[in-house]
Amino acid sequence: MSEPMVRGSRASGLDLHLGPVGEAGRNVRASLMDAFREAIRTGRLAPGTRLPPSRLLAIDLGLGRSTVVRVYSELINEGWLTALHGSGTEVSRRSAELMGRRGRPRVPAARPRLLHDLRPGYPDLSSFPRDEWIRAVKRTVSNAPFEAFGYIDPHGRSELREVVARYLARARGLQTHADNVVVCSGAAEGLRLVAAVLANAGVTKVAIEEFCLHTQRPALLKAGIEPVLLPVDADGADLSALDEIPDLGAVLLTPSHQFPLGVALQSDRRAAVVDWARRRGTLIIEDDYDGEFRYDRSPVGALQGLDHDRVLYLGTASKSLAPGLRLGWLVVPDRLVGSIVAEKGWAEDSVGFVNQLAMTDFIESGSYDRHIRAMRAQYRRRRQQLIEAINRTCPTTRVTGMAAGLHIILEQPGRSGAELVRRAAREQLAIEPLEMFRNPGSTSDRDGVAVGFAAPSASGWSGALDALIRTLQ
């Protein structure tokens, strides 16, 4: 079927001002890609600009959604755009690297097609428990009360909040009650809500780890909060300078498994940061993005278990199930629940009741625990295969990160992370440079790549592993 032509009155692209993308005789997809490149090249779409969802842009331009999805995907592969974990698409912050000295795009003449995805933070979507989830959806939709089909409480369905509270107490050691759980659409949206509430309360500075998920710093800046960097060493975030930072209102940590460096916050530092929060009357934001996946021992309990009044917990089903479910939860101290719910009520679309009730059933039936156990065994096996292959074939490569999560860090003498990423691209392999997660102002000289081992399907794992070994040799 041929591509639909663009209607002239809808060519602006949701205020993106992309210009006409359907000139006679031109392929619509190619025209749209050129329009995006031109908008980025001229600065009309600046690095970090959030783009509309593919569905909305397709409607606005009068195109098929598959066309826009393909354009986004190809521009991501070229480096013009970046796919945010659980948070949409934005103009790449490294897009300037694609410009020539005169500001003209350097589009590769023959861009390699990526066959293998070893980026960090992506679960094996092919292992999503479809049958169990479908049964959960059918049961919950069939039995849902009529009121469930109406407008959704921004606090979240009470059924889900109750089972999440019980699950987190059992599996992660939290001290919580259903009233403290707020359902959200993922960790990124959860942090945005928290940042907005802190800013409204007068917080101007939040400490973050010098390496972190690249959505954290923008979320704080967007709320008008200044991020202050904490060094990270083998014992986790170095918290020794907290008392020396004036006007610090909170600290954001990944204590169970630091992202991306893969270390745990040691027990003395866990106790110290809780003491600091109590003494200063401040808040700890705990991002527990993959806390269920520890392979050498039982998972370390969440920091929130040490003080439910000073730690706000961020959790998500993105790593344990799938990011496309758009399911996350905040466990909020009593004094902040009302503010978080109020902020969510007017600023965010709620998670649909079907997924909320299906997740309730999924946890209550034991399917969630069974799935996590199965994936924990699979990821443990893959991690071991990956490390053994590297040690056998590339002995000079340094492997770091504890036996947890969905990725490891690799460092090679004489090769930068950027070079390894380029070598991987020639093998049609996607990995991420450590530099991507370094916050501006960091003094660390660490370099390398973050390599995931979860995303490939069972049939694609061996090919991805072989491509990585060729990259490292």
Side-chain angles (χ1 to χ4, degrees):
M1 181 180 293
S2 60
E3 295 279 1
M5 293 300 291
V6 176
R7 294 187 292 274
S9 63
R10 310 189 80 175
S12 63
L14 284 177
D15 295 325
L16 294 183
H17 304 289
L18 293 175
V21 294
E23 298 95 339
R26 290 216 62 196
N27 177 276
V28 173
R29 179 173 57 82
S31 296
L32 182 56
M33 291 179 67
D34 286 345
F36 266 111
R37 294 190 194 105
E38 177 66 12
I40 296 170
R41 182 188 66 80
T42 59
R44 287 187 286 112
L45 288 179
T49 300
R50 288 283 296 274
L51 299 182
S54 58
R55 176 180 60 83
L56 296 181
L57 184 58
I59 292 172
D60 191 70
L61 294 176
L63 301 176
R65 185 181 179 185
S66 61
T67 299
V68 177
V69 169
R70 188 173 177 187
V71 166
Y72 276 8
S73 178
E74 295 194 20
L75 291 174
I76 287 169
N77 286 339
E78 288 182 1
W80 295 102
L81 305 181
T82 298
L84 302 178
H85 296 189
S87 190
T89 306
E90 69 174 26
V91 177
S92 171
R93 298 177 188 277
R94 295 178 293 167
S95 57
E97 297 174 8
L98 296 175
M99 307 297 180
R101 291 184 178 180
R102 298 183 180 180
R104 304 184 68 171
R106 291 202 306 263
V107 180
R111 177 175 46 84
R113 185 167 63 94
L114 296 176
L115 295 179
H116 311 293
D117 188 353
L118 292 182
R119 289 175 294 171
Y122 288 78
D124 178 6
L125 300 180
S126 70
S127 294
F128 182 82
R130 294 172 185 258
D131 292 342
E132 292 89 341
W133 189 261
I134 289 171
R135 285 194 289 269
V137 169
K138 286 182 177 179
R139 282 193 297 266
T140 53
V141 172
S142 297
N143 300 322
F146 293 133
E147 55 85 14
F149 293 83
Y151 293 104
I152 296 174
D153 181 352
H155 204 144
R157 294 290 307 181
S158 60
E159 303 94 328
L160 178 58
R161 292 188 285 110
E162 287 171 3
V163 300
V164 165
R166 291 198 299 269
Y167 169 78
L168 293 175
R170 168 174 58 84
R172 302 296 298 125
L174 267 70
Q175 302 180 53
T176 188
H177 182 273
D179 290 343
N180 299 99
V181 177
V182 179
V183 179
C184 60
S185 60
E189 282 302 307
L191 179 58
R192 187 193 61 74
L193 292 171
V194 175
V197 167
L198 290 177
N200 291 340
V203 171
T204 59
K205 293 180 182 179
V206 170
I208 63 174
E209 295 157 332
E210 63 178 335
F211 290 88
C212 68
L213 189 66
H214 54 270
T215 55
Q216 291 184 352
R217 183 173 180 270
L220 296 174
L221 290 173
K222 187 174 182 179
I225 294 174
E226 176 189 352
V228 181
L229 300 191
L230 298 174
V232 179
D233 57 28
D235 292 330
D238 182 351
L239 307 167
S240 58
L242 286 181
D243 278 322
E244 301 172 11
I245 303 172
D247 305 320
L248 188 61
V251 58
L252 171 58
L253 301 171
T254 49
S256 295
H257 185 222
Q258 201 282 328
F259 187 89
L261 300 182
V263 295
L265 189 66
Q266 295 304 299
S267 58
D268 57 340
R269 294 188 181 183
R270 291 164 66 94
V273 72
V274 170
D275 288 343
W276 168 81
R278 290 169 177 166
R279 188 171 62 253
R280 295 277 294 269
T282 50
L283 185 70
I284 302 166
I285 306 167
E286 176 180 17
D287 186 351
D288 193 36
Y289 66 101
D290 64 0
E292 294 94 347
F293 296 111
R294 184 76 185 256
Y295 309 123
D296 59 345
R297 48 180 279 187
S298 297
V300 175
L303 190 62
Q304 193 267 4
L306 298 181
D307 193 326
H308 65 279
D309 194 47
R310 287 296 162 194
V311 182
L312 187 151
Y313 177 93
L314 269 170
T316 175
S318 294
K319 307 298 184 292
S320 57
L321 277 173
L325 294 179
R326 311 299 296 127
L327 268 171
W329 38 80
L330 306 175
V331 179
V332 184
D334 290 339
R335 66 186 184 282
L336 295 177
V337 172
S339 299
I340 292 287
V341 172
E343 177 68 25
K344 182 174 181 290
W346 71 266
E348 183 197 11
D349 293 331
S350 296
V351 180
F353 85 95
V354 173
N355 276 355
Q356 290 196 49
L357 292 182
M359 188 66 180
T360 302
D361 182 276
F362 202 68
I363 296 174
E364 284 190 312
S365 68
S367 295
Y368 191 54
D369 283 280
R370 288 192 295 273
H371 178 71
I372 287 177
R373 284 196 297 269
M375 300 314 296
R376 189 183 291 143
Q378 174 177 305
Y379 296 156
R380 178 192 294 116
R381 185 167 55 251
R382 286 190 182 185
R383 184 179 185 275
Q384 187 62 33
Q385 291 170 347
L386 173 57
I387 293 174
E388 288 176 354
I390 291 172
N391 290 340
R392 183 175 62 252
T393 61
C394 312
T396 62
T397 301
R398 182 183 178 217
V399 180
T400 62
M402 66 187 195
L406 310 183
H407 75 280
I408 59 175
I409 298 296
L410 300 181
E411 299 168 83
Q412 268 196 337
R415 284 182 181 165
S416 67
E419 180 182 352
L420 288 172
V421 170
R422 289 193 295 269
R423 291 173 63 88
R426 293 198 290 270
E427 298 291 342
Q428 300 176 297
L429 168 69
I431 56 178
E432 298 283 14
L434 191 56
E435 182 66 29
M436 179 176 181
F437 308 105
R438 185 197 313 270
N439 281 307
S442 168
T443 58
S444 172
D445 60 357
R446 289 197 63 174
D447 195 7
V449 290
V451 177
F453 47 82
S457 64
S459 61
W461 166 241
S462 62
L465 181 55
D466 288 345
L468 176 65
I469 295 303
R470 289 194 298 271
T471 295
L472 299 174
Q473 287 179 332

